[in-house]
Amino acid sequence: MTINSHLDALYRLPAHTFPGPGAEAGNLPDADAVAWRITSDVYDADEQWTDAFARFCAAVDTTRVRALIVGAWQEAYETAPSAVVSALLAARDRFPALRALFFGDIVMEECEISWITQTDVTPLLNGFPALEVFGVRGGSNLRFDGVRHEALRELVVQAGGLPGHVVRGIGACDLPALAHLDLWLGTPDYGGDSEVSDLEPILSGARLPRLRHLALRNSEMQDAVAAALASAPVVAQLEVLDLSMGVLTDEGAGALLGGQPLTHLKKLDLHHHYLSESFVDRVLKTLEPAGVEVDLSRDDAEEDTEDDGTVWRYVAVGE
């Protein structure tokens, strides 16, 4: 799986790309009717992201903008978006209605996810205390320190490899309103060096009293994550548990089913898995009678076996 299409919506608003410098900017949507994507042309160095953002601020009533999508910046494979963060913070007083921000809506043709050079995104949360939705794509050079944010309801961090210090930083946050947490843990091949112990503050649920949707996915250590969730206190408060896109085998599924009951869940998402048919049947027979929606689609999860018997299994999104 690769990320080959941009976000089509954010904050329940359809995404709309602000026109480039050579396009006619007339007949723009109402400022509060769409999620505005600001992007620079990765194939044309004539306009930097900050220049596109300045044009946007001059053309749109920013006091009514509810959702912003930060698209590609120039040379994202080697240039950190520090200037993008600075531009957003410098303009924060002009965005009193902003409730959703996605940072790094960059697709494969622009830059592979694990090649996206990120930066410290903590100042964005500190600078926009009314944000309810925040997302970021790319784990290289990403920094996310522990913060307290009263309004944030949804946090999404997408990576082919999420560094352990980022996982620990998120775990150190106080997010009393957070209902939806989605972390793509990834693989060590692309910087995903977190361990299950790094997830302990999340699994305890102590700082996440309103969490109802937990996704710990796209992980090479999916079996170990599943085993930890078998006794994790946070599970009792969840409605949706998502362990999809990773290397989940019978070992992890067995540990999960052998732990605390999951029959209170509305949905268990295990798509892109490496379970045997017998374990697929076991999961379904355990949970479907209780009314739990279970996604066990295999998608493109295919094993490679070498001549010496070594079996290779892959996360859905790596490079």
Side-chain angles (χ1 to χ4, degrees):
M1 173 181 172
T2 55
I3 298 178
N4 53 22
S5 59
H6 291 107
L7 295 179
D8 58 10
L10 181 66
Y11 202 61
R12 298 183 180 178
L13 297 171
H16 181 84
T17 301
F18 183 69
E24 176 59 49
N27 300 318
L28 292 173
D30 290 340
D32 57 359
V34 299
W36 293 94
R37 180 185 295 108
I38 317 298
T39 186
S40 60
D41 188 340
V42 295
Y43 304 109
D44 184 351
D46 288 343
E47 184 178 53
Q48 299 294 317
W49 190 95
T50 51
D51 297 327
F53 183 61
R55 286 192 303 103
F56 169 77
C57 290
V60 174
D61 181 0
T62 59
T63 64
R64 297 169 55 201
V65 171
R66 294 190 289 161
L68 276 179
I69 300 171
V70 174
W73 51 89
Q74 286 292 328
E75 299 178 335
Y77 55 88
E78 64 180 5
T79 302
S82 304
V84 177
V85 172
S86 295
L88 289 168
L89 293 176
R92 59 188 165 187
D93 292 341
R94 301 181 62 177
F95 289 86
L98 189 67
R99 296 296 180 268
L101 175 63
F102 190 93
F103 196 85
D105 183 25
I106 300 173
V107 298
M108 175 185 63
E109 291 184 355
E110 296 167 328
C111 186
E112 295 278 7
I113 188 171
S114 292
W115 290 77
I116 297 171
T117 303
Q118 271 295 351
T119 188
D120 185 0
V121 297
T122 313
L124 293 172
L125 289 176
N126 288 328
F128 292 94
L131 276 184
E132 297 176 12
V133 176
F134 181 72
V136 59
R137 181 176 298 158
S140 179
N141 287 354
L142 180 64
R143 180 176 167 185
F144 199 120
D145 293 337
V147 297
R148 181 171 178 85
H149 198 289
E150 300 283 351
L152 198 67
R153 294 188 295 105
E154 181 176 335
L155 174 61
V156 178
V157 185
Q158 301 174 343
L162 198 58
H165 64 83
V166 173
V167 176
R168 292 189 292 273
I170 293 170
C173 290
D174 284 316
L175 304 171
L178 196 73
H180 183 126
L181 177 62
D182 183 357
L183 305 181
W184 295 16
L185 300 174
T187 168
D189 291 341
Y190 295 105
D193 61 356
S194 64
E195 300 178 356
V196 171
S197 59
D198 297 325
L199 295 168
E200 193 281 329
I202 296 170
L203 301 182
S204 76
R207 291 193 176 100
L208 303 168
R210 296 188 181 180
L211 192 68
R212 298 295 179 267
H213 182 130
L214 176 60
L216 300 172
R217 52 181 177 154
N218 198 52
S219 177
E220 195 167 287
M221 61 173 181
Q222 206 75 70
D223 281 348
V225 172
L229 282 163
S231 60
V234 74
V235 172
Q237 69 191 57
L238 298 179
E239 296 178 353
V240 177
L241 177 59
D242 185 344
L243 298 177
S244 65
M245 299 171 58
V247 184
L248 182 69
T249 71
D250 290 358
E251 179 182 350
L256 187 63
L257 291 181
Q260 62 189 303
L262 302 174
T263 51
H264 65 287
L265 294 174
K266 292 182 178 178
K267 182 174 182 179
L268 176 65
D269 191 343
L270 303 179
H271 81 266
H272 186 281
H273 62 82
Y274 293 88
L275 303 185
S276 65
E277 288 300 322
S278 61
F279 249 92
V280 167
D281 290 341
R282 179 179 168 187
V283 173
L284 293 176
K285 289 178 180 178
T286 301
L287 297 178
E288 281 192 333
V292 181
E293 178 187 351
V294 183
D295 188 344
L296 279 163
S297 53
R298 194 172 178 92
D299 291 353
D300 61 348
E302 298 294 337
E303 300 176 347
D304 290 334
T305 303
E306 296 187 358
D307 293 339
D308 63 359
T310 301
V311 178
W312 295 97
R313 302 182 178 100
Y314 309 95
V315 298
V317 178
E319 185 175 13

